[in-house]
Short mmCIF file of all heavy atoms in Angstrom, two decimals:
data_model
loop_
_atom_site.label_atom_id
_atom_site.label_comp_id
_atom_site.label_asym_id
_atom_site.label_seq_id
_atom_site.Cartn_x
_atom_site.Cartn_y
_atom_site.Cartn_z
N SER A 17 7.54 -1.37 -49.06
CA SER A 17 6.36 -2.24 -48.98
C SER A 17 5.15 -1.42 -48.60
O SER A 17 5.27 -0.29 -48.09
CB SER A 17 6.58 -3.35 -47.95
OG SER A 17 6.65 -2.79 -46.64
N ARG A 18 3.98 -2.00 -48.85
CA ARG A 18 2.75 -1.31 -48.48
C ARG A 18 2.71 -1.06 -46.97
O ARG A 18 2.31 0.02 -46.52
CB ARG A 18 1.54 -2.15 -48.92
CG ARG A 18 0.20 -1.47 -48.65
CD ARG A 18 -0.96 -2.35 -49.09
NE ARG A 18 -2.23 -1.68 -48.90
CZ ARG A 18 -2.86 -1.55 -47.72
NH1 ARG A 18 -2.31 -2.08 -46.63
NH2 ARG A 18 -4.02 -0.92 -47.65
N GLN A 19 3.15 -2.04 -46.17
CA GLN A 19 3.14 -1.89 -44.72
C GLN A 19 4.09 -0.79 -44.27
O GLN A 19 3.78 0.00 -43.37
CB GLN A 19 3.52 -3.21 -44.04
CG GLN A 19 3.42 -3.17 -42.52
CD GLN A 19 2.00 -2.85 -42.05
OE1 GLN A 19 1.05 -3.50 -42.47
NE2 GLN A 19 1.86 -1.85 -41.17
N ALA A 20 5.24 -0.72 -44.92
CA ALA A 20 6.21 0.32 -44.56
C ALA A 20 5.64 1.70 -44.85
O ALA A 20 5.81 2.63 -44.05
CB ALA A 20 7.51 0.10 -45.33
N LEU A 21 4.96 1.85 -45.98
CA LEU A 21 4.35 3.13 -46.31
C LEU A 21 3.23 3.48 -45.32
O LEU A 21 3.07 4.63 -44.91
CB LEU A 21 3.81 3.10 -47.74
CG LEU A 21 4.87 3.01 -48.85
CD1 LEU A 21 4.20 2.81 -50.20
CD2 LEU A 21 5.73 4.26 -48.86
N ALA A 22 2.45 2.46 -44.92
CA ALA A 22 1.38 2.69 -43.96
C ALA A 22 1.93 3.12 -42.60
O ALA A 22 1.40 4.01 -41.94
CB ALA A 22 0.53 1.42 -43.79
N ASP A 23 3.05 2.49 -42.21
CA ASP A 23 3.69 2.87 -40.95
C ASP A 23 4.24 4.29 -41.00
O ASP A 23 4.21 5.02 -40.00
CB ASP A 23 4.81 1.89 -40.61
CG ASP A 23 4.29 0.52 -40.18
OD1 ASP A 23 3.09 0.43 -39.85
OD2 ASP A 23 5.07 -0.45 -40.18
N MET A 24 4.75 4.68 -42.15
CA MET A 24 5.26 6.05 -42.30
C MET A 24 4.15 7.06 -42.06
O MET A 24 4.32 8.06 -41.34
CB MET A 24 5.85 6.24 -43.70
CG MET A 24 7.18 5.52 -43.93
SD MET A 24 7.72 5.63 -45.67
CE MET A 24 7.84 7.41 -45.89
N VAL A 25 2.99 6.81 -42.65
CA VAL A 25 1.87 7.73 -42.49
C VAL A 25 1.38 7.73 -41.05
O VAL A 25 1.11 8.79 -40.46
CB VAL A 25 0.72 7.34 -43.45
CG1 VAL A 25 -0.52 8.18 -43.15
CG2 VAL A 25 1.15 7.51 -44.89
N LEU A 26 1.28 6.55 -40.43
CA LEU A 26 0.77 6.44 -39.08
C LEU A 26 1.70 7.11 -38.06
O LEU A 26 1.25 7.59 -37.02
CB LEU A 26 0.59 4.96 -38.71
CG LEU A 26 -0.13 4.66 -37.38
CD1 LEU A 26 -1.54 5.25 -37.40
CD2 LEU A 26 -0.18 3.15 -37.15
N SER A 27 2.98 7.19 -38.37
CA SER A 27 3.94 7.76 -37.43
C SER A 27 3.92 9.29 -37.41
O SER A 27 4.52 9.91 -36.53
CB SER A 27 5.36 7.29 -37.77
OG SER A 27 5.84 7.92 -38.96
N VAL A 28 3.24 9.91 -38.36
CA VAL A 28 3.17 11.37 -38.40
C VAL A 28 2.27 11.86 -37.26
O VAL A 28 1.12 11.45 -37.13
CB VAL A 28 2.62 11.86 -39.76
CG1 VAL A 28 2.45 13.37 -39.74
CG2 VAL A 28 3.57 11.45 -40.88
N ASN A 29 2.80 12.76 -36.44
CA ASN A 29 2.05 13.24 -35.27
C ASN A 29 1.16 14.44 -35.65
O ASN A 29 1.40 15.56 -35.22
CB ASN A 29 3.02 13.64 -34.16
CG ASN A 29 3.70 12.43 -33.55
OD1 ASN A 29 3.09 11.39 -33.39
ND2 ASN A 29 4.98 12.57 -33.25
N ASP A 30 0.15 14.17 -36.43
CA ASP A 30 -0.77 15.25 -36.80
C ASP A 30 -1.85 15.40 -35.75
O ASP A 30 -1.94 14.62 -34.80
CB ASP A 30 -1.39 14.98 -38.18
CG ASP A 30 -2.07 13.62 -38.25
OD1 ASP A 30 -1.88 12.80 -37.32
OD2 ASP A 30 -2.79 13.37 -39.22
N ILE A 31 -2.67 16.43 -35.87
CA ILE A 31 -3.79 16.65 -34.95
C ILE A 31 -4.99 15.87 -35.45
O ILE A 31 -5.46 16.07 -36.57
CB ILE A 31 -4.11 18.15 -34.85
CG1 ILE A 31 -2.90 18.92 -34.32
CG2 ILE A 31 -5.33 18.38 -33.95
CD1 ILE A 31 -3.09 20.42 -34.29
N VAL A 32 -5.48 14.96 -34.62
CA VAL A 32 -6.54 14.05 -35.04
C VAL A 32 -7.89 14.58 -34.57
O VAL A 32 -8.09 14.82 -33.38
CB VAL A 32 -6.32 12.64 -34.46
CG1 VAL A 32 -7.40 11.69 -34.96
CG2 VAL A 32 -4.93 12.13 -34.80
N PRO A 33 -8.84 14.79 -35.47
CA PRO A 33 -10.18 15.24 -35.04
C PRO A 33 -10.96 14.09 -34.40
O PRO A 33 -11.01 12.98 -34.92
CB PRO A 33 -10.83 15.69 -36.35
CG PRO A 33 -10.13 14.91 -37.42
CD PRO A 33 -8.72 14.70 -36.94
N VAL A 34 -11.56 14.37 -33.23
CA VAL A 34 -12.43 13.40 -32.56
C VAL A 34 -13.69 14.14 -32.12
O VAL A 34 -13.66 15.34 -31.86
CB VAL A 34 -11.75 12.74 -31.35
CG1 VAL A 34 -10.56 11.89 -31.79
CG2 VAL A 34 -11.31 13.78 -30.32
N ALA A 35 -14.77 13.40 -32.03
CA ALA A 35 -16.05 14.02 -31.67
C ALA A 35 -16.19 14.24 -30.16
O ALA A 35 -16.86 15.17 -29.74
CB ALA A 35 -17.20 13.15 -32.17
N SER A 36 -15.53 13.37 -29.36
CA SER A 36 -15.75 13.41 -27.92
C SER A 36 -14.61 12.73 -27.19
O SER A 36 -13.71 12.14 -27.80
CB SER A 36 -17.06 12.69 -27.58
OG SER A 36 -16.95 11.32 -27.96
N ALA A 37 -14.67 12.79 -25.85
CA ALA A 37 -13.67 12.09 -25.04
C ALA A 37 -13.76 10.59 -25.24
O ALA A 37 -12.75 9.88 -25.17
CB ALA A 37 -13.86 12.45 -23.57
N THR A 38 -14.96 10.10 -25.54
CA THR A 38 -15.12 8.65 -25.79
C THR A 38 -14.37 8.24 -27.05
O THR A 38 -13.63 7.25 -27.04
CB THR A 38 -16.62 8.31 -25.94
OG1 THR A 38 -17.29 8.62 -24.71
CG2 THR A 38 -16.80 6.84 -26.26
N GLU A 39 -14.53 9.00 -28.12
CA GLU A 39 -13.81 8.67 -29.35
C GLU A 39 -12.30 8.84 -29.16
O GLU A 39 -11.51 8.09 -29.72
CB GLU A 39 -14.28 9.54 -30.51
CG GLU A 39 -13.66 9.14 -31.85
CD GLU A 39 -14.14 9.98 -33.02
OE1 GLU A 39 -15.02 10.84 -32.82
OE2 GLU A 39 -13.62 9.76 -34.14
N ARG A 40 -11.91 9.82 -28.35
CA ARG A 40 -10.49 10.02 -28.05
C ARG A 40 -9.92 8.78 -27.37
O ARG A 40 -8.82 8.31 -27.71
CB ARG A 40 -10.34 11.24 -27.15
CG ARG A 40 -8.92 11.65 -26.84
CD ARG A 40 -8.93 12.79 -25.84
NE ARG A 40 -9.48 12.37 -24.56
CZ ARG A 40 -9.86 13.20 -23.59
NH1 ARG A 40 -9.78 14.50 -23.77
NH2 ARG A 40 -10.33 12.73 -22.46
N SER A 41 -10.65 8.22 -26.42
CA SER A 41 -10.20 7.00 -25.73
C SER A 41 -10.12 5.82 -26.69
O SER A 41 -9.20 4.99 -26.60
CB SER A 41 -11.15 6.67 -24.57
OG SER A 41 -11.13 7.70 -23.60
N GLN A 42 -11.08 5.74 -27.59
CA GLN A 42 -11.07 4.65 -28.58
C GLN A 42 -9.85 4.76 -29.49
O GLN A 42 -9.24 3.75 -29.87
CB GLN A 42 -12.35 4.70 -29.40
CG GLN A 42 -13.60 4.37 -28.60
CD GLN A 42 -14.89 4.66 -29.36
OE1 GLN A 42 -14.89 5.36 -30.38
NE2 GLN A 42 -16.00 4.13 -28.87
N LEU A 43 -9.46 6.00 -29.81
CA LEU A 43 -8.28 6.22 -30.64
C LEU A 43 -7.02 5.76 -29.92
O LEU A 43 -6.15 5.11 -30.51
CB LEU A 43 -8.19 7.70 -31.01
CG LEU A 43 -6.93 8.14 -31.78
CD1 LEU A 43 -6.84 7.42 -33.13
CD2 LEU A 43 -6.95 9.65 -31.99
#
């Protein structure tokens, strides 16, 4: 399903770029 594929991508522990500690907290 589309949701299952979305969950697969979201579960990957990649390095997420953020601009600041504020954006990090929002994430």
